[in-house]
Every structure is written in structure tokens, then in C-alpha cells.
Amino acid sequence: MEINATYNSLVAVGDSFTEGMSDLRPDGSYRGWADVLAGRLAARTPGFRYANLAVRGKLIGQIVEEQVPLAARMEADVVTLVGGLNDTLRPKVDMGRVKGLLTEAVERLTPACGQLVLMRSPGRNGPVLDRFRPRMEELFDHIDGLAARHGALVVDLYGAPVLADPQVWDVDRLHLTAEGHRRVAEAVWQTLGLDPGHDWREPLPAAVRPGWVTRRVADARFAREHLGPWIGRRLTGRSSGDGRPPKRPELLPYETRSEV
């Protein structure tokens, strides 16, 4: 049963997760769950408009300063806000400040949109999640409280075992594959009260565990191509999104394409 069958506009706010890394199109651009969701909404609503303000690497302070005011001015039917996780992955983080900034974002966006959607972000099983789990769960508890106070919807991706499965994570171990993004889009779709297209929680078939040598080669590649550069940016205060504009900075009609 559909709670609300009509959404005329969507604005997505956040970091690389919402920008769509690592769901690559053939042309080298990123698609991601927000684009998939927008495509599905556009297919059922003539004149549907969409903006995606997310930029990879952004911290919650940058999201509040650069994206939230613009999103608020757009007065969309739906705004998705996912931020703060990059902060929790920093060696040192002031969680009180992160939660305060997230509160500010919610308080500014709630009266400016029809429905605010927040998320408990997914995390890949492994040592990175184990190390940062307490911070992440502190952030997610705060998100739950904000949603209860401000009438926001929460999409609980963190509680879905399938989105912790390494099979839905790219080789960088930080971003979802196309299949992962497809499932996130369906989760948001259903949270908005729309008829399910598929069971996004359905487990994947068990993967054949690679041999020891294959795992070590993969670990070495990950350290060389992804972990090392990531650590280097943290040590120098740089971000992968420095100087990068949003891919859809204006709330414009969405041309339906093969996003589903």
C-alpha cells in the first residue's frame, strides 16, 4: 500500500555515498542510488525535478555550509541528507560537534521541504567497521533521535546484513557497487511509502572464498591504490572532492534514462 504516490522533486545532499561512488556508468561518470531513485520517480511523475548536491569527501561541516542552504532554497518534496560518516573515520573527531552540525542541518531542512529522509549508513564487514563502529553507532543513535523530534524518515541500511556483505562493496572497500546502490535506492523507495519493486534485504548467494594468495594480492592492491592515498589525504588535510562541483547543482526536470 502506498502512503504517498506523488513526489514531484528530490534533492540529495551528502558525500561520496550520495554522489554515487563506485557505481560507474560506461562513460566513466557515477550513477548511484540517488540517480536510480530519481529515475524511478521521474518515470511515474511527469515534470519530476532532481538535484544532487553531494560531493565526495565532504565532512558534515562542509555539507552544512555548502549544500544545506542551497537545498533549503529549492523547497523540494523530498530531501535526503546523509553526512557525518566521513567525520567518524577521521583519526580524531569531536562527535559533539558532528552531532551539533547534523542537528543544524536537520533544523534548517525540515521546514524547507515536504519530507526529510535520513539514513543509518551501511558498513562493510571487516576491521575498519569494527574499529569505528562505536562512533558510527553514536551517530546513528543521534540520527534516530533527530528523526523522532522532526518527523524525518530513517532508512536503516546499517541493520541490513546484505549491505555488510563484501560482495556489494567495491575494491576500495569504502563505496558500494552498482548492486549495492540498487538496493539502497529500493530501500529509500519503500521508506517513502511506494510499492516495493524487489526485496532489497534478500541475501546474496554465498561467494566462493578466494585462496590465500588471491586474498593477499587483493590486500596489497587495496593498500597501494586506495588505503595509501586515503591516508595521505588525511595527513595533509586534503579531500578527494576539493574543487569538485556537484554533478546536478540545479533542481531541473529529470530526463528518464536507464537508471532502473
Side-chain angles (χ1 to χ4, degrees):
M1 179 178 180
E2 295 187 349
I3 299 171
N4 185 342
T6 304
Y7 296 106
N8 294 303
S9 54
L10 166 68
V11 176
V13 173
D15 51 35
S16 60
F17 175 68
T18 302
E19 184 185 345
M21 296 173 72
S22 291
D23 181 8
L24 277 171
R25 293 190 177 97
D27 65 2
S29 65
Y30 289 113
R31 179 174 43 219
W33 66 265
D35 282 15
V36 174
L37 177 66
R40 292 178 64 182
L41 290 170
R44 69 200 307 276
T45 306
F48 181 84
R49 297 177 299 152
Y50 170 53
N52 190 323
L53 309 179
V55 177
R56 66 196 70 171
K58 293 299 182 181
L59 302 174
I60 187 60
Q62 296 169 309
I63 291 172
V64 170
E65 179 181 355
E66 300 167 8
Q67 299 178 32
V68 168
L70 182 56
R73 289 196 295 271
M74 291 179 177
E75 299 183 333
D77 285 349
V78 178
V79 172
T80 63
L81 168 63
V82 188
L85 203 61
N86 281 335
D87 298 79
T88 69
L89 298 178
R90 296 280 171 143
K92 295 181 180 180
V93 59
D94 182 347
M95 288 302 297
R97 179 175 180 272
V98 171
K99 292 187 289 186
L101 287 165
L102 189 59
T103 299
E104 179 183 343
V106 169
E107 290 177 345
R108 295 175 69 177
L109 289 172
T110 299
C113 68
Q115 180 62 64
L116 181 63
V117 178
L118 307 175
M119 291 190 193
R120 294 163 57 93
S121 304
R124 181 185 186 276
N125 282 336
V128 173
L129 177 63
D130 292 341
R131 178 182 178 185
F132 295 105
R133 189 186 300 274
R135 293 178 181 177
M136 294 170 62
E137 292 183 350
E138 181 179 352
L139 179 68
F140 297 155
D141 287 346
H142 185 65
I143 287 171
D144 287 344
L146 287 173
R149 291 194 298 274
H150 296 279
L153 300 174
V154 178
V155 185
D156 185 10
L157 306 174
Y158 182 70
V162 69
L163 292 180
D165 189 327
Q167 294 182 85
V168 300
W169 292 84
D170 192 51
V171 293
D172 68 1
R173 305 181 185 180
L174 286 173
H175 300 107
L176 293 171
T177 62
E179 175 62 18
H181 281 284
R182 185 181 75 90
R183 288 173 182 255
V184 172
E186 178 66 23
V188 181
W189 176 271
Q190 293 182 22
T191 300
L192 288 171
L194 302 170
D195 284 340
H198 59 88
D199 181 7
W200 66 271
R201 296 181 179 86
E202 181 180 4
L204 294 166
V208 176
R209 182 173 173 80
W212 184 89
V213 173
T214 301
R215 296 199 305 272
R216 297 294 78 79
V217 170
D219 289 344
R221 177 188 175 191
F222 163 71
R224 181 179 65 255
E225 298 181 4
H226 303 288
L227 181 60
W230 184 83
I231 292 173
R233 290 194 297 271
R234 297 301 171 273
L235 293 176
T236 57
R238 294 179 291 114
S239 167
S240 57
D242 287 348
R244 183 178 297 274
K247 63 180 179 182
R248 294 184 64 95
E250 299 181 75
L251 187 60
L252 296 174
Y254 186 86
E255 295 183 5
T256 303
R257 55 192 294 177
S258 56
E259 305 290 10
V260 183

